[in-house]
Amino acid sequence: MAEKLDIDRLRQWIGRTEEASDIVTAQLVKGLRATLFQEIGKPKPGDAAPWTVHWCLAQPVYPMSELSQDGHPTRGGFLPPVPLPRRMWAGGELEFFEPLRVGDEAKRTSRISDVTMKSGSSGVLCFVSVEHLITTQRGTAIRERQDIVYRDMSTAQPAAPAKAPPPPPVAKYRESHMADPVLLFRYSALTFNGHRIHYDRDYVTRVEGYPGLVFHGPMQAAFIVELAARLHGGKAPKKFSYRGVQPLFEGSEFSINANDTAAGMELWTANSAGQPTMKGTATW
């Protein structure tokens, strides 16, 4: 696949922008609170939404005829037409200025900031970085960078480790939940995410070669941000940087973990064996 990836052509997408807007509704806030295991309540105009509600807003809508086999839109619109078939979130960074609130009209301005290619033992990887600015009538709410990674199908499963994994880290703060198919379906619905790895078991196991449905990267980050905010009196971090470590699959318990550091907090999600699946750092 490497010879088919024309990085010079793909880098022509750097600088492309798009804008979209949406309304933060009470129904959306209720749905996201329920999915993040929060008290649902009866949100009214002016009430704060969960910190990462922007991932549910103004999602692209395409006809069924314009979707690829994996459920994503056909490549080559705002995002560059990377010819590698597998697409996942690799990580990113969030800066929170104030919460989005019920009734807000949120505007998202997006820009392709970088396109790079790497080669290694896992094959060819293409990284696309996208910057987002979320604003309301009150000003800037969130500044974000998303790092999306594309890879070949043949790199779905890493080689068996030569040695046992390190002992799982010990967390001062921890909460756990079950990663079941209903949870994954709910988050896909809230974010209008058609990616079949999150809900189509036949596809994800037979085509992409994973052992089960794959937990959303953004949902892991959302759980981490909400735990961090709760541990700081409801205040989200000024900056949260995170990266995916390994996939998290349905069917078992997962945990959200945190430790205090001199600069803020280290946070991570982990699978049932306690091995980290996403790692992040937060500062206030």
Side-chain angles (χ1 to χ4, degrees), residues 28-38 50-57 59 72 89 94 96 142 144 146 178-199 213-226 240 242 254 278:
L28 173 61
V29 169
K30 288 170 64 177
L32 187 55
R33 285 177 179 174
T35 303
L36 297 179
F37 299 100
Q38 299 177 347
W51 286 101
T52 57
V53 71
H54 66 290
W55 285 333
C56 304
L57 298 173
Q59 293 300 315
H72 276 308
W89 282 40
L94 288 159
F96 294 100
I142 300 167
E144 176 184 15
Q146 291 179 9
M178 283 297 299
D180 68 12
V182 177
L183 178 65
L184 303 188
F185 169 80
R186 280 186 159 194
Y187 197 76
S188 288
L190 286 167
T191 56
F192 203 66
N193 184 350
H195 199 182
R196 291 170 66 178
I197 66 172
H198 303 307
Y199 60 86
L213 300 178
V214 181
F215 204 100
H216 310 69
M219 183 156 56
Q220 293 185 66
F223 277 117
I224 290 175
V225 168
E226 293 297 335
F240 171 59
Y242 64 99
F254 71 98
M278 176 176 285

Side-chain angles (χ1 to χ4, degrees), residues 88-93 144-149 242-244 278:
M88 299 186 76
W89 282 40
E93 184 173 270
E144 176 184 15
R145 188 195 76 247
Q146 291 179 9
D147 298 325
I148 303 167
V149 62
Y242 64 99
R243 63 182 179 87
M278 176 176 285

Side-chain angles (χ1 to χ4, degrees), residues 17-21 58 78 107-110:
T17 61
E18 70 172 7
E19 294 183 350
S21 61
F78 171 65
K107 177 182 177 181
R108 183 182 65 241
T109 303
S110 305

Side-chain angles (χ1 to χ4, degrees), residues 149-215:
V149 62
Y150 296 83
R151 62 195 308 170
D152 201 355
M153 284 291 185
S154 62
T155 62
Q157 295 300 319
K163 57 183 179 180
V170 177
K172 180 178 179 180
Y173 312 99
R174 182 180 185 272
E175 65 177 48
S176 60
H177 304 286
M178 283 297 299
D180 68 12
V182 177
L183 178 65
L184 303 188
F185 169 80
R186 280 186 159 194
Y187 197 76
S188 288
L190 286 167
T191 56
F192 203 66
N193 184 350
H195 199 182
R196 291 170 66 178
I197 66 172
H198 303 307
Y199 60 86
D200 187 337
R201 188 173 289 105
D202 283 347
Y203 171 83
V204 77
T205 56
R206 296 179 182 178
V207 178
E208 298 218 8
Y210 290 109
L213 300 178
V214 181
F215 204 100

